[in-house]
Amino acid sequence: MKKKKFDISSIMQSKITWAVVAEILILLVCFIIRPDFFKISYQPTTGMLYGSLIDIINRSAEITIIAMGMTLVIALGGTDLSVGAMVALSGAIALKFMRWDVLVYNTPGDYTVMPYILVILVPLLVCTLLGLFNGFMIANIGMQPIIATLILMVCGRGVAQICTNGKQFTTLYSPFRVIGQGSLFCLPMPIIITAVIVVLVSLFVRKTAFGTMVESVGINPSASRLSGIDSKKIILIVFALTGLLSAISGLIYSSRIMSNDSNNAGINYEMDAILAVVIGGTNMSGGKFSLAGTVIGSIIIRTIVTFVYYFGIVSEATMAFKALIIIVVIVLQSEPVRQKMAKMGKKKKAADVPKGGAVSA
C-alpha cells in the first residue's frame, strides 16, 4: 500500500494557509516587540486564565459567532448588513426585561423584573424572526440581499431605542453577568459559548446535506431549483440562523458591559464579519465556503485591534492597521499569487526527486 505523499503545492494554493500565515506573522511581530505578549497567568480569585492570547479569542467571540452566519449568507452570494443592528436590539430587549421600567425600578441591582428565561429567549426569538423577515424579502419578494438587510440596519437601532424609551438601562443581575464575564474550565464564558456554536454550526452544515445545498444555491440558484433543491427554504433558514447568532452575540456584548447601548452596540460588526469571512477564504460571489477559515479571519481582526491597544497606538489607527493587514492577506490569497506559490512548490518537489526517478515505497 502506497503512502499518501505530502503535496506542498495544494497547501500553498489553499486560502486558509495564507490566513494562518498572516496570523502567525502578526503574532511574531508582537513577540519581537514585547515577549511577554504570550504570557498567560492564572488568577485564583476569578478562576480564569489571563493574557493577551486569551483576550484575543475572548474578545473575538461576538464577531466569530456572527461570522458563522455571515459565511453562509455570503456562500449564497449575498450579504447581511443588519447583524449589527440586531446585536443592539438583542441587548436592548434583554435589559428591558430585566429592568422593565426604570421609573419604578430606578436602582440597578441583582434582580430581574421578568423571568430570566424570557430575558434570554425573547431576544433570540425576535432576532430569529427578523432574520426570517430578511430571508422572506429576499427569497419571496425578490429583493437584493444588500437592500433587504439595509432596511433592518437602518431601523433596527431605532426599534432598540423604542424598546428602552431612549434610555440606557444597566443591571447587576448575577446570572446575566455569567454570559459575558463568567468562566468555565478556567476560560472566559464567551470562548466556551463560541466554541459550542462553531461546533454546532459546523456539524449542521457539514454532517448534513445543508452545506452542500447552500453551496449549490450560491453557485447557481436556477440549476439548484431544477435539481430539486428548495432554494427559498435554504435562504430563509440561513438568514434566520444569522439572526439567531446575532442575538447571541448581542447578549454577550450587553453582558460584558451589563447594560444596553443601542447607539454603539454592534457598530461595524457587519463589516468585521464580512472581512472575517473574506479573509477566511470564502468567495464573495458565492459557492464554496470555509467555516474554519472564518474563525481564523475573525481572530486575525481581533489580533490587529489588540496589537493596536496593547502597544499604545492611538485607537484611530485601528482601521488603518486593519486595512493594511487585510490588503496583504487578500493579495496572498489571490489566484495569481497562489498559482505562483504552487508552481514554486512543484519545482521544489521536482528538484527533490532523484535523477534516476522516484523510488516507490
Side-chain angles (χ1 to χ4, degrees), residues 56-316:
I56 287 170
I57 302 173
N58 180 23
R59 301 297 297 190
S60 67
E62 289 95 315
I63 298 300
T64 303
I65 292 170
I66 292 174
M68 289 291 102
M70 189 69 77
T71 302
L72 300 178
V73 171
I74 290 176
L76 289 174
T79 52
D80 190 342
L81 300 181
S82 66
V83 292
M86 283 196 275
V87 167
L89 181 58
S90 174
I93 294 173
L95 267 296
K96 174 67 175 179
F97 272 62
M98 279 187 283
R99 293 292 303 279
W100 196 254
D101 188 346
V102 291
L103 297 178
V104 177
Y105 303 95
N106 51 19
T107 304
D110 192 358
Y111 65 86
T112 176
V113 177
M114 304 298 287
Y116 185 55
I117 188 69
L118 296 180
V119 173
I120 302 300
L121 290 184
V122 173
L124 298 181
L125 178 61
V126 169
C127 290
T128 301
L129 291 175
L130 290 175
L132 201 61
F133 172 77
N134 283 338
F136 176 80
M137 298 290 282
I138 295 162
N140 295 83
I141 306 300
M143 276 192 180
Q144 290 294 321
I146 194 170
I147 301 300
T149 57
L150 185 63
I151 295 170
L152 189 54
M153 176 187 178
V154 173
C155 73
R157 293 184 187 279
V159 175
Q161 292 281 14
I162 291 170
C163 287
T164 58
N165 300 318
K167 297 181 176 64
Q168 184 168 344
F169 292 5
T170 57
T171 184
L172 300 174
Y173 190 48
S174 302
F176 188 67
R177 186 189 298 274
V178 172
I179 298 173
Q181 301 179 42
S183 65
L184 184 65
F185 307 125
C186 300
L187 293 173
M189 189 59 72
I191 295 179
I192 303 298
I193 296 172
T194 303
V196 170
I197 289 173
V198 169
V199 170
L200 290 177
V201 173
S202 299
L203 290 174
F204 176 56
V205 301
R206 291 306 186 193
K207 295 300 181 180
T208 68
F210 186 76
T212 303
M213 289 190 286
V214 168
E215 291 177 345
S216 178
V217 173
I219 293 170
N220 194 325
S222 300
S224 300
R225 199 177 307 112
L226 292 173
S227 65
I229 296 175
D230 190 343
S231 57
K232 289 184 179 180
K233 185 180 291 185
I234 297 299
I235 293 170
L236 288 171
I237 293 172
V238 166
F239 277 90
L241 177 62
T242 304
L244 173 63
L245 295 176
S246 299
I248 295 172
S249 181
L251 292 175
I252 293 174
Y253 180 93
S254 55
S255 176
R256 287 190 195 276
I257 62 174
M258 295 299 283
S259 172
N260 70 290
D261 188 356
S262 301
N263 290 322
N264 298 305
I267 289 290
N268 293 327
Y269 274 22
E270 54 278 339
M271 295 298 105
D272 283 346
I274 292 170
L275 286 174
V277 175
V278 173
I279 291 172
T282 300
N283 198 321
M284 285 293 291
S285 61
K288 296 287 184 180
F289 63 90
S290 171
L291 293 175
T294 295
V295 173
I296 296 169
S298 176
I299 291 173
I300 287 175
I301 291 173
R302 190 63 214 184
T303 303
I304 297 168
V305 176
T306 303
F307 176 87
V308 170
Y309 291 158
Y310 194 82
F311 295 106
I313 303 170
V314 290
S315 58
E316 288 77 7

